[in-house]
Amino acid sequence: MQDDDTTHGPLAGFTVGVTAARRAEELGTLLKRRGAAVLHAPALRIVQLADDSELLAATKELIGHAPDVAVATTAIGFRGWIEAADGWGIGDALLETLRGVELLARGPKVKGAIRAAGLSEAWSPGSESMAEVLDRLLAEGVAGRRVALQLHGEPLPGFVESLTAAGAEVVVVPVYRWMPPQDLAPLDRMLDVTAARGLDAITFTSAPAAASFLGRAETRGLLPEVLGALRDDVLVACVGPVTALPLQARGIDTLQPERFRLGPLVQLMCSHLPAAARILPVAGHRIEIRGHAVLVDDELRAVPPAGMALLHALVRRPGWVVARADLLRALPGSGSDEHAVETAMARLRSALGVPRLIQTVVKRGYRLALDPSADTECGR
């Protein structure tokens, strides 16, 4: 038998939310290549500050009084800083200043931006972690030293406070800021789907995006439902520990790859999501129940939401009869007409392609036709 993950991709049948503003297309493509259905809603937008007085003032201050160390945190931010300085006619002066300081790069993409500007980095952490950058600076000793810190869309209070406490003078360089998206409709839809447990997983690639996602949920009065879904039913994957902080502060467990990159993030989901799928032997077939689809043997079968609701209700009591009234309550927007159960059940059977997977028990309800050996294991 051909392996289903080889045929369909390890994320086939799962719906994954993407909240990124930058690199959303790259992340979405990685997920789709592995079979996932992707729902994208940027939780933030990036606002460049080329005309911002704060950035101009910080740049002039550093040119007039050069730092001992400069820390570049993101490639887009570093490039934006150089481009803004060029626009003000002080680009060459800024490059000359940075040429004479100890220039630290948070990761390989930042190194690329530094070298593209004709500069050379003194050091870059293997972990791409700001925590490792901080450890190095503190180990070197920063008392009496002037440190320039290019921010990446949000303040780094713990970083700045640690350096200041150790005796450094820190000059922050705010190159761009995160702002709420101009069109909130996609984000609101993502929140509604999350609250309704319509996502199997959601990804975050920045702490501001996570904070914005939760903040919008709170504004709309959906925070309890969203938090409940994220804690119990939706896999939350973050690109790194800093990104995870706003979520962990709300008691949400997160997955994080060892390397803080999109590829390892997707690979982590490829191992965790299928592992959580329910697998049962039913009527001589192997069924694997995923988010919006079912693998019947090695064939992926898409199932409509009402059908998945019924299937989940049956799977909670595999092999046992589930009454029509209980199945009616499981249906989205359930009313009082049990005929809705019969209609949804007919569509579910059609979607599965093997009607005998679900048995009708006259005057009682329906049951999964669990194989006899599985019945014994389930204690029947």
Side-chain angles (χ1 to χ4, degrees):
M1 181 183 296
Q2 191 172 16
D3 183 75
D4 53 356
D5 283 351
T6 300
T7 306
H8 306 289
L11 298 181
F14 295 111
T15 303
V16 180
V18 172
T19 61
R22 288 194 302 118
R23 303 180 68 194
E25 185 175 352
E26 179 183 351
L27 178 54
T29 298
L30 288 172
L31 291 166
K32 289 174 184 176
R33 281 178 184 165
R34 287 155 179 82
V38 175
L39 179 64
H40 176 228
L44 296 167
R45 61 189 167 99
I46 296 171
V47 179
Q48 300 290 345
L49 300 181
D51 298 325
D52 190 88
S53 58
E54 279 184 72
L55 178 58
L56 176 59
T59 304
K60 286 182 174 179
E61 181 182 355
L62 291 173
I63 291 172
H65 181 189
D68 300 291
V69 184
V71 180
T73 61
T74 62
I76 187 174
F78 188 80
R79 286 195 300 268
W81 186 18
I82 302 302
E83 289 167 6
D86 281 338
W88 293 319
I90 55 176
D92 289 341
L94 175 59
L95 291 175
E96 191 58 34
T97 298
L98 294 176
R99 215 167 262 122
V101 308
E102 181 184 0
L103 188 52
L104 307 183
R106 184 182 63 86
K109 293 192 175 180
V110 191
K111 285 197 291 188
I114 287 172
R115 293 175 185 180
L119 303 171
S120 299
E121 78 285 352
W123 176 80
S124 181
S127 65
E128 303 177 42
S129 165
M130 288 299 288
E132 193 174 343
V133 175
L134 179 60
D135 289 344
R136 177 185 171 93
L137 287 170
L138 294 177
E140 285 181 348
V142 293
R145 303 184 81 194
R146 187 171 165 83
V147 179
L149 174 64
Q150 173 245 311
L151 296 179
H152 58 287
E154 60 173 324
L156 294 169
F159 194 97
V160 173
E161 288 168 2
S162 296
L163 292 177
T164 302
E169 177 191 356
V170 181
V171 180
V172 295
V173 181
V175 180
Y176 57 87
R177 288 202 182 102
W178 299 108
M179 300 289 285
Q182 288 180 312
D183 180 7
L184 288 167
L187 179 57
D188 286 345
R189 177 169 177 255
M190 174 91 80
L191 288 166
D192 291 338
V193 172
T194 303
R197 270 76 168 173
L199 292 179
D200 300 296
I202 188 167
T203 61
F204 294 96
T205 56
S206 73
S212 176
F213 183 84
L214 297 175
R216 181 61 181 169
E218 189 165 22
T219 298
R220 293 188 57 215
L222 284 175
L223 188 60
E225 293 88 347
V226 168
L227 290 177
L230 296 181
R231 287 171 183 152
D232 300 331
D233 296 304
V234 181
L235 181 73
V236 182
C238 296
V239 78
V242 174
T243 297
L245 289 175
L247 297 154
Q248 291 174 340
R250 297 281 192 169
I252 298 167
D253 292 331
T254 64
L255 280 179
Q256 302 159 34
E258 290 184 7
R259 294 179 62 241
F260 310 145
R261 306 292 291 277
L262 297 185
L265 178 69
V266 172
Q267 288 303 320
L268 195 62
M269 297 170 68
C270 287
S271 62
H272 278 75
L273 277 176
R278 187 73 183 271
I279 300 173
L280 290 169
V282 180
H285 298 269
R286 175 189 183 274
I287 68 167
E288 179 176 337
I289 300 162
R290 297 189 169 193
H292 60 265
V294 178
L295 282 166
V296 180
D297 298 324
D298 63 348
E299 185 176 356
L300 188 71
R301 310 285 301 193
V303 176
M308 287 304 300
L310 292 182
L311 188 56
H312 282 300
L314 293 170
V315 167
R316 279 194 288 272
R317 301 178 65 193
W320 293 81
V321 177
V322 181
R324 283 179 174 82
D326 293 335
L327 292 171
L328 180 62
R329 282 190 290 272
L331 284 175
S334 60
S336 57
D337 186 0
E338 290 187 3
H339 180 66
V341 174
E342 296 174 14
T343 302
M345 188 62 71
R347 291 173 180 165
L348 170 59
R349 283 171 163 158
S350 176
L352 293 175
V354 185
R356 60 193 176 88
L357 293 177
I358 301 171
Q359 296 175 338
T360 301
V361 181
V362 179
K363 295 184 180 180
R364 293 181 61 195
Y366 300 89
R367 66 184 288 272
L368 273 183
L370 204 65
D371 287 345
S373 60
D375 288 349
T376 303
E377 290 168 10
C378 290
R380 290 206 64 223

